[in-house]
Amino acid sequence: MNKKLILSAVAVTLMGAGAVLAQGQPAAPQHAMTFFVTSTTPTGTGNLGGLAGADKICQDLAAAAGAGAHTWHAYLSTQTTNAGPGVNARGRIGPGPWYNAKGVLIAANVGDLHGDNARDRNNIQKANMLDEKGVIIKGAGDMPNQHDILTGSDSDGRAFPAGVDTTCNNWTSDTDATHAMLGHADRTGGGNVSWNSVHMSAGCSKDTLIRTGGAGHLYCFATN
């Protein structure tokens, strides 16, 4: 056998070995992560340091997971006060599309995310509600149940009128004198299947949020 034939045989063998190794490796997601539920928050309360503080939580967790090249915002609304007008969560998360840590499409755009033109155009369900590490958020039936997500928003992703606190005093309070509107990541329980607006929290302290099925989790969306 001449040298050319020997080298060709070696090359084929190496290519075959590489293919076997590749088959044993999990396939990388086709789409980079642009959506996640926070695995943790620094305080676990409704005091997030306002919108800026909440966005930093999302940005820091994303960066730790290798997705820091995006600009990340928390899906939160704020209410109008003497200090300024309220902000709608849907208006601060970018245009989409959004994919979870495994590359699964969550929603193609803001309209589909909120069902503007047709219900259930999003892909929000328990199996797809992953944190930045790719771990499913615990829901109804799990121990502990942590499906409550802070949003302060109505089902269209907009702020509630001023008067009744639905945002833990615009995400600056950790007392049970304030409250927040919550969504359910698993879309189970609470009388409806809304991911972003199911029921009010009993308060904004860490213990109260835990006791009623949460852990101060946030939805985080890449805006670009």
Side-chain angles (χ1 to χ4, degrees):
M1 185 179 291
N2 61 38
K3 290 184 178 180
K4 287 186 177 179
L5 289 175
I6 292 173
L7 290 173
S8 296
V10 170
V12 169
T13 301
L14 290 174
M15 288 174 63
V20 171
L21 288 172
Q23 289 176 4
Q25 299 296 322
Q30 289 185 321
H31 298 280
M33 179 179 72
T34 49
F35 164 87
F36 64 89
V37 183
T38 56
S39 59
T40 184
T41 55
T43 66
T45 73
N47 184 0
L48 306 170
L51 289 180
D55 291 345
K56 187 176 187 303
I57 292 169
C58 290
Q59 193 73 48
D60 289 348
L61 290 174
H70 294 290
T71 298
W72 292 85
H73 280 180
Y75 183 91
L76 295 171
S77 293
T78 59
Q79 294 175 279
T80 297
T81 67
N82 291 334
V87 174
N88 297 323
R90 65 181 288 148
R92 60 189 318 273
I93 58 173
W98 299 284
Y99 299 88
N100 70 11
K102 292 187 177 179
V104 175
L105 178 68
I106 297 303
N109 51 59
V110 174
D112 284 357
L113 181 66
H114 295 93
D116 290 352
N117 300 311
R119 296 292 298 174
D120 291 325
R121 289 291 297 272
N122 65 49
N123 199 14
I124 294 179
Q125 53 182 296
K126 182 180 179 181
N128 297 333
M129 292 296 96
L130 309 181
D131 67 19
E132 71 281 0
K133 303 172 186 176
V135 178
I136 295 177
I137 298 300
K138 291 182 172 65
D142 296 326
M143 292 299 291
N145 176 14
Q146 296 182 344
H147 67 181
D148 284 352
I149 312 294
L150 298 167
T151 71
S153 307
D154 66 15
S155 60
D156 291 324
R158 295 186 170 90
F160 287 92
V164 176
D165 180 37
T166 61
T167 62
C168 296
N169 193 27
N170 284 343
W171 315 113
T172 64
S173 173
D174 59 4
T175 76
D176 289 337
T178 56
H179 307 84
M181 180 55 71
L182 305 168
H184 281 176
D186 59 359
R187 300 183 69 173
T188 298
N192 66 45
V193 293
S194 177
W195 63 276
N196 63 345
S197 192
V198 179
H199 62 84
M200 293 284 284
S201 70
C204 293
S205 68
K206 181 176 181 178
D207 289 345
T208 298
L209 291 177
I210 291 173
R211 189 167 61 249
T212 55
H217 290 303
L218 308 174
Y219 294 122
C220 297
F221 289 81
T223 66
N224 59 348

